Every structure is written in C-alpha cells, then in structure tokens.
Amino acid sequence: MEEPQQAEARKERQADPLGTLNKALDLLKTKDDTTRMCGLAALKITVDNNPQISNDHATMSDCWSAISSTFLERLMKGKGQTPENANTMLNLAVSVIHAFVRILDQDRLKGEKLVKRSNTLVASLTTSSEDTSTLILQILFSIASNKAGARRLLQIDDLRPMLKLAPEQPTVLDIIKVAYLNVIGNERLDIDVVQKLDCTISSLSSCFSDTRNTDAFMDWLSQFLPSLPTQYIGTSPEWLEPLTKIIHKKVLSLHRSIGLEGASSLVNLAVQLLFIYPTKFTPLLFDPTARPDGADKPTSTSYLLIRLLLLDIRSSIPTLQATSQEPASKQAVVRLVASYDIISAFVGFLLQEQDNDAADDVNSSRDSSFSTDILLKLRVDISEVMSMTIENIHERYNESTERATARQLSKAQLQITSGGSPENMMSMKDPLPLAQLRALALWLREDDGSDLRQEASSIIDFLLSCYANEGSDYISPVLIALEGITATAEGAEAFLSAGGWNILSQSLQKLETMPEADTLQGIDIVRVLLNIIDSDSGHPTREVWMDVIDTALSIDIMDTKRVALSLALIQLSQELLQWAPRGVRRKYAKEAKQLLEMSRIITRGELTVSDDLKEGFEEVVEGLKALSIVVDRRVP
C-alpha cells in the first residue's frame, strides 16, 4: 500500500503540476548530486504524468536546458559507486533522456547536449539491464536519425557493446543502417567511413556466427548493402568469408530440417552478394570443398544449397501454375527470382571450373572440383527443374496470348489499359520470367542434351516476342537460349516457322548505327543464324537471307572494336553462299569478291589482331575461294 506521505506528495503534484515542476528545477540547480537526483526523478514523474506540460515545447525546452550535461554523464558512468547504486543512477539518467527524446523537437535532438552522450550511452550497454538497454538503443536510434548524431555515433572507437546485442535486439541493426545512410548521403567519399563500415559488418558477422537468429541479420544485410553507394562497399571485404560460413550453416540447418522455412533470407542475401561481389563471393559460396561444421556426411555445402533451391522451385512452380490468374505472393516471387539467379551463377561457376580443369596440365581432376557423381546428380536435377520452367513459361505465355486475343475481340466495348499481352508478359511488375529465362538460357546452351532443347522449341514464339518487344535485359538471355534450341532440328524448324530469321536479321541491319557495346549482340545473333544454316531446315539458302551480306560489307573492318563482329558476319555470309542455289551464288559473286578482299586486309597484316582472329580470317579466305568456279574467275 502507498504510504501516507507518498500519497500526500502525489496529490500535491497532481493539484499543482507547475509548482512541482518548478521545485524540481530548483533542485536541479543545486551543487549536491543527491539533491539533483531527487530533482531529476521529480522532473521525470511530472513530465510523464502531465500532458499539458509535456506537450508544451517551450516548457520542455527549458526543462532540458536545466539538466546539466556533466551531471548526466556522472550518473551514467557511476564512478566510485557500488554496482547497485551505479545501476540505479544509470537507469534514472537513461529514463530521463529517453523521456525527453520522445518529446523534444528536431533541433534539440541534433544538439550537442544529446549527441555528445552517444559514447557514454554505448559504453553503458556493457552493464545495463535488459530494459535499460532497450531504452538506450531507442535513444541511440534517435541520435543516429540525423546527420550530426550519426557522424558522432560512427566516430566512437568501440561499438562492440552495442553490436553484441544485435542478435537479441533488432534495433541495433536499424541504428547501424540509418547511421551509415545519414553519414554517407551525398557527401564525397570518406575513407574513414569505409573502414568503419567494413569493421562494423565484420563485427556483426562475428556476433551472429554462433547464434541461431541469423535470419534477421541476413535479411537486414540483403537490404542494407544495395542501398550503399558502390564506392563504400569495396570489392573484396574481409567479412565475406565469415559471412559465407553463416550462409553455409543456414544451408545445413535447412537441409536437416527438410524444409524451406527461413530460406528467403538466405537466398536474398546470397543473390545480392553474387551481384555485388561476383568475383570474390562466387567461389566462396560454391566452393566444392566447403564442409560446414557438424555436417553428417562429407557433402559440399554448395551441393546442398543447389539441391534446396531446386526443391523450392519444384514445389513452388506448380503452385504458380495453379494460381496463374491470381497475384502470386510477393515474398515467394522474390525468393524464386533469387533462387533462379543463384542457379544461373552456379552454372556459370561450373563452366569456369571446367575451364580451369582443362587448363590444368598437371591434373585435370583437381581436388577443388566437384566429383563426377555429384555433377551427374546435379545435371539430372537441374534438367528436371528447367523442364518444369519451360512448361511454366509455355503455359503462362499461352494464357497471356489468349487474354490478349479476348481483349482484341472486345476492343470496341472495352478500353485496354493494362497488361496481359504476350509482349508485356515479361514486365517489370513480374521479375520471375526474366530470372527463369536467364537460368534456362545458360543451361540450354551448355547442356548438350537434345531432349530439353527439343522441349524448349515450344517457347520459340515466346522468346522471339520478348526479343522484339522487351528491353535490353532480355536480349542476351533470349539469344543464348536460341543458340541452344536451334542446335536441334526441331528448334531450327520452329525458329524459321516463327519468323525468327527476319527478326534477328533486322537487328543485324541496325548494327552499323548501334553503339560498339552492341557488337556482342551481333556475334550472338550470328551464332543462332549459323545454327539455322547448318540445319536441314536451312538448306538451300533463301535469297531473302542474302541481305546479311550487305550488312557484313557495311562494317568497317579497320575498326579494331568491331573486327570480331566483322569476322562473324563474313563467316555467316560464306555459309549462306555455300548453301545457296548456283543462280543465287552467281548473283552475289561481286559481293563475295568484296568479302574476300576485306578478309585479306587482315591476313596481309594491314591491321594487327589476335592470333585467333587472324586464323579465323584465313579460314574465311580459303572458304570463299573454294565456293565455286564462278567466284574463282572473278576473284583471282
């Protein structure tokens, strides 16, 4: 029960809050710390219980000014006090600061009186109770929310007392994020901030390495890193390796639980790191020799990771197909996009591994490579998922086409205002098809199994629609996919039936006015068209295809940045001439001579090129000379 004296004091405060407030302010003016503590406690109680006072900004500003900064510092540090007294003093100081932080205007929050408390507040986290620590972190978040406070906070030499709380206190991650973003802003590069950021993420990685609560950290980092300017994140931070171990531990945890709960945080972070640090992180994530601590079997973590991603895709694709008329869960789509992108990176890593093995003269089966058994299992699993992907794309494209047709039929009655047509099926509103296409394209080109390529011929219409109507992000994966598909007879026939030659040859005709960077696109187009010429469907050469020769002649062969493109176009022209009817070949004899003379510029050494390019032009010269007696007569 409340003591009579306490009850009387409470009634007095309630009856005259302003009087109580003035008494508290008078106590704060004394030199005795004990009296000041009484005044501070009375001030907090009065402010907390009287909205008419706490809502008066002028009064609150005066109260804040009345509190001595050095007195607050002494209270929080508690020097010379017993642990119990020190905690009492710290709790009081923190509770008072917290009360004012919630009330003060922005100018006061930016003031040095609060900002300069940052160091002591962080240090106090080593001894503060859980409740007081929560209040301290809320105060620090307010300090970090403005540029002056953020800079002061990041100038603290040792942030570890705060960082250690991150696994249990999510506010720590919020503080770090807002502090760095406020400091970085639009200012010039600050090397000290770069180094501090590197140390901060390293410390956080260490703090989370031995905890089970890694999902929050991975989610936070996957959002934080992309928000930073590229010059602040470096190219090879030291924390990538310990962070990879955290990811590998999570993979093992998911594998043991035989479930995908929590997979989103893992895949979202992994795909961001692959994008930001492709050279450094890719071999760390997919290291065939990586074995997480506690693994039951000597199976590489990267193999378990890919198996989990493939399992996720296999279980999610049917759901997407069944609910194709409804918006898919945003979180599920983001996770699937990341899963496909990780698989794309993994396929690229495997190709690089094969190149490394081929270049290893000492031992072609290096210890760092995946075993043949693992590769065979992965090939089967990835091919199965890619087959499902083809089916998913095919069904969605057909549905999109049907909806577009229905809209056209009712166009007189209904104004078309939004998507649904084949050309905008791959809109930015739905990033999944593009991610599917990137992974599928790589696999179709590099996996020489004909079954999957034949199956993919069913989406030729879709690919050509994307190529003709979508942005530049789609061009490369479409061409890579077509290169694999058209290597089969069914693919070449489907390509021609869908008007693929006209679509790609028109792109070639634009190369002369395209930026030099688009020369790679031209070479990719040539690879596809060469597949067509090499197929039964491409024989004999159609005369309408011979426009490619004019395109080849339009490229300046002396332009060193376009020599490779020029070679590709001349090779394509040679193949067209070789398979053309005699009458068509005779008609283009003059152009054949011009192509021969262009090639001889390189073979005579008038332009310095790589050995591979020179060898390619030498083969072209021999091929053009051997075409027919008509060409030989006109080209001595």
Side-chain angles (χ1 to χ4, degrees):
M1 294 181 60
E2 191 176 31
E3 295 292 335
Q5 292 180 344
Q6 293 176 337
E8 187 66 27
R10 178 174 57 79
K11 291 180 180 179
E12 181 179 348
R13 290 195 299 270
Q14 292 175 346
D16 185 16
L18 287 177
T20 304
L21 178 64
N22 289 328
K23 289 180 181 179
L25 294 177
D26 288 339
L27 292 175
L28 288 171
K29 295 177 182 177
T30 64
K31 300 297 184 181
D32 179 64
D33 280 355
T34 302
T35 304
R36 283 180 172 179
M37 285 183 63
C38 293
L40 201 59
L43 175 62
K44 182 182 183 302
I45 294 172
T46 304
V47 170
D48 286 346
N49 296 322
N50 294 278
Q52 68 272 29
I53 292 177
S54 60
N55 291 333
D56 187 335
H57 293 292
T59 300
M60 293 309 300
S61 181
D62 291 341
C63 292
W64 179 246
S65 299
I67 302 174
S68 167
S69 299
T70 55
F71 176 55
L72 285 175
E73 282 286 313
R74 289 200 299 274
L75 285 181
M76 287 192 288
K77 291 178 178 178
K79 288 184 177 180
Q81 301 293 325
T82 64
E84 183 178 356
N85 288 341
N87 283 334
T88 300
M89 295 165 65
L90 174 63
N91 294 343
L92 175 60
V94 169
S95 64
V96 169
I97 295 174
H98 184 268
F100 277 93
V101 163
R102 292 186 291 109
I103 298 169
L104 292 173
D105 57 34
Q106 286 298 314
D107 289 338
R108 287 285 185 175
L109 291 176
K110 297 176 184 178
E112 287 197 353
K113 185 169 187 176
L114 177 62
V115 169
K116 282 189 174 182
R117 308 285 77 77
S118 300
N119 205 326
T120 305
L121 285 167
V122 170
S124 298
L125 289 168
T126 57
T127 59
S128 60
S129 65
E130 183 177 348
D131 290 341
T132 300
S133 294
T134 299
L135 296 181
I136 290 175
L137 293 176
Q138 291 173 0
I139 296 169
L140 290 172
F141 181 82
S142 295
I143 292 174
S145 297
N146 63 77
K147 185 165 291 189
R151 181 162 291 281
R152 182 76 182 208
L153 183 64
L154 296 183
Q155 287 174 346
I156 297 175
D157 291 334
D158 189 5
L159 288 174
R160 285 177 298 177
M162 179 178 70
L163 300 179
K164 288 178 180 178
L165 298 178
E168 292 78 33
Q169 292 274 11
T171 306
V172 173
L173 298 178
D174 296 332
I175 293 169
I176 296 301
K177 180 177 180 178
V178 73
Y180 277 104
L181 293 182
N182 273 326
V183 167
I184 291 171
N186 296 320
E187 295 182 0
R188 61 180 176 81
L189 179 64
D190 189 328
I191 299 301
D192 291 336
V193 175
V194 174
Q195 294 173 346
K196 187 72 174 182
L197 176 63
D198 196 58
C199 291
T200 300
I201 298 180
S202 293
S203 296
L204 286 172
S205 299
S206 177
C207 293
F208 279 95
S209 62
D210 295 323
T211 69
R212 295 183 179 180
N213 187 25
T214 57
D215 288 351
F217 178 53
M218 290 191 289
D219 275 333
W220 173 81
L221 200 57
S222 67
Q223 298 173 32
F224 178 52
L225 290 176
S227 66
L228 296 171
T230 54
Q231 64 267 33
Y232 278 88
I233 57 179
T235 57
S236 183
E238 294 183 359
W239 47 262
L240 266 183
E241 190 166 343
L243 184 60
T244 304
K245 292 181 179 179
I246 292 178
I247 293 174
H248 284 173
K249 284 185 179 180
K250 183 64 178 180
V251 170
L252 181 61
S253 173
L254 291 171
H255 176 71
R256 284 175 170 171
S257 64
I258 317 178
L260 295 168
E261 185 177 354
S264 294
S265 58
L266 184 154
V267 296
N268 291 338
L269 176 59
V271 80
Q272 289 295 341
L273 294 174
L274 285 169
F275 176 75
I276 298 172
Y277 307 106
T279 304
K280 179 70 174 180
F281 182 66
T282 301
L284 289 174
L285 181 65
F286 301 133
D287 182 6
T289 65
R291 305 286 190 274
D293 296 336
D296 298 328
K297 298 179 180 180
T299 304
S300 70
T301 313
S302 55
Y303 171 69
L304 297 179
L305 170 62
I306 299 303
R307 287 288 302 274
L308 284 169
L309 298 180
L310 295 174
L311 174 62
D312 188 21
I313 293 172
R314 277 199 297 265
S315 62
S316 300
I317 287 293
T319 303
L320 292 178
Q321 289 175 332
T323 59
S324 58
Q325 299 297 328
E326 302 173 4
S329 165
K330 181 179 180 181
Q331 184 178 8
V333 169
V334 170
R335 188 184 70 250
L336 284 176
V337 168
S339 295
Y340 273 109
D341 284 343
I342 293 172
I343 290 172
S344 297
F346 179 69
V347 172
F349 175 76
L350 289 180
L351 297 175
Q352 184 62 50
E353 281 285 286
Q354 291 177 5
D355 291 342
N356 292 340
D357 284 346
D360 192 341
D361 296 330
V362 178
N363 182 6
S364 61
S365 299
R366 299 173 302 133
D367 292 338
S368 61
S369 300
F370 289 97
S371 68
T372 303
D373 181 54
I374 290 294
L375 290 175
L376 288 174
K377 289 179 180 179
L378 285 172
R379 179 178 180 181
V380 171
D381 290 342
I382 294 176
S383 293
E384 179 185 343
V385 166
M386 292 308 159
S387 177
M388 293 183 66
T389 301
I390 292 170
E391 182 181 355
N392 177 245
I393 290 175
H394 185 250
E395 289 191 8
R396 294 181 67 193
Y397 179 72
N398 286 344
E399 291 172 359
S400 179
T401 305
E402 290 171 3
R403 289 196 299 271
T405 302
R407 286 190 177 93
Q408 289 295 330
L409 292 175
S410 60
K411 193 172 183 180
Q413 295 82 21
L414 182 65
Q415 179 70 32
I416 299 176
T417 58
S418 60
S421 63
E423 58 267 22
N424 60 28
M425 170 188 168
M426 299 284 248
S427 69
M428 291 303 293
K429 295 179 182 178
D430 186 1
L432 180 57
L434 177 57
Q436 290 177 313
L437 180 56
R438 282 194 293 255
L440 177 62
L442 276 177
W443 194 249
L444 286 172
R445 185 178 68 178
E446 302 303 334
D447 183 59
D448 55 6
S450 60
D451 290 345
L452 192 65
R453 289 176 173 177
Q454 290 173 9
E455 186 179 350
S457 65
S458 65
I459 61 171
I460 287 283
D461 285 341
F462 162 76
L463 293 172
L464 293 175
S465 176
C466 291
Y467 182 87
N469 297 290
E470 294 299 329
S472 58
D473 288 343
Y474 301 89
I475 290 175
S476 179
V478 165
L479 292 174
I480 291 173
L482 289 174
E483 182 183 348
I485 297 171
T486 55
T488 65
E490 293 82 359
E493 184 177 353
F495 177 82
L496 290 174
S497 298
W501 187 285
N502 292 336
I503 293 173
L504 296 193
S505 63
Q506 287 174 11
S507 292
L508 285 178
Q509 293 170 12
K510 300 175 183 177
L511 285 175
E512 190 175 3
T513 59
M514 283 184 176
E516 292 174 351
D518 289 330
T519 57
L520 292 178
Q521 177 187 336
I523 294 173
D524 286 340
I525 291 174
V526 169
R527 290 195 180 107
V528 176
L529 299 184
L530 282 172
N531 279 347
I532 302 302
I533 298 174
D534 290 341
S535 71
D536 292 340
S537 300
H539 301 162
T541 299
R542 282 71 153 171
E543 186 170 356
V544 294
W545 296 354
M546 303 299 281
D547 289 344
V548 169
I549 297 178
D550 294 331
T551 302
L553 293 172
S554 69
I555 302 297
D556 181 7
I557 200 169
M558 298 300 290
D559 184 348
T560 56
K561 295 181 179 180
R562 292 179 181 257
V563 174
L565 174 61
S566 183
L567 173 60
L569 287 168
I570 294 174
Q571 288 172 331
L572 177 60
S573 300
Q574 176 196 328
E575 291 292 320
L576 287 170
L577 288 166
Q578 179 178 336
W579 292 104
R582 181 174 293 274
V584 174
R585 191 185 305 173
R586 185 181 297 113
K587 184 178 179 180
Y588 282 85
K590 178 181 178 181
E591 286 79 1
K593 178 179 179 180
Q594 292 173 327
L595 292 173
L596 183 59
E597 288 303 318
M598 286 177 61
S599 302
R600 282 175 168 167
I601 291 175
I602 303 300
T603 59
R604 287 196 299 263
E606 295 182 28
L607 181 69
T608 302
V609 298
S610 68
D611 291 341
D612 288 341
L613 284 176
K614 186 173 182 179
E615 183 179 345
F617 278 105
E618 289 172 348
E619 291 177 356
V620 164
V621 168
E622 295 303 317
L624 287 170
K625 289 170 60 177
L627 278 178
S628 72
I629 191 170
V630 174
V631 173
D632 286 340
R633 289 173 181 172
R634 299 173 69 91
V635 184

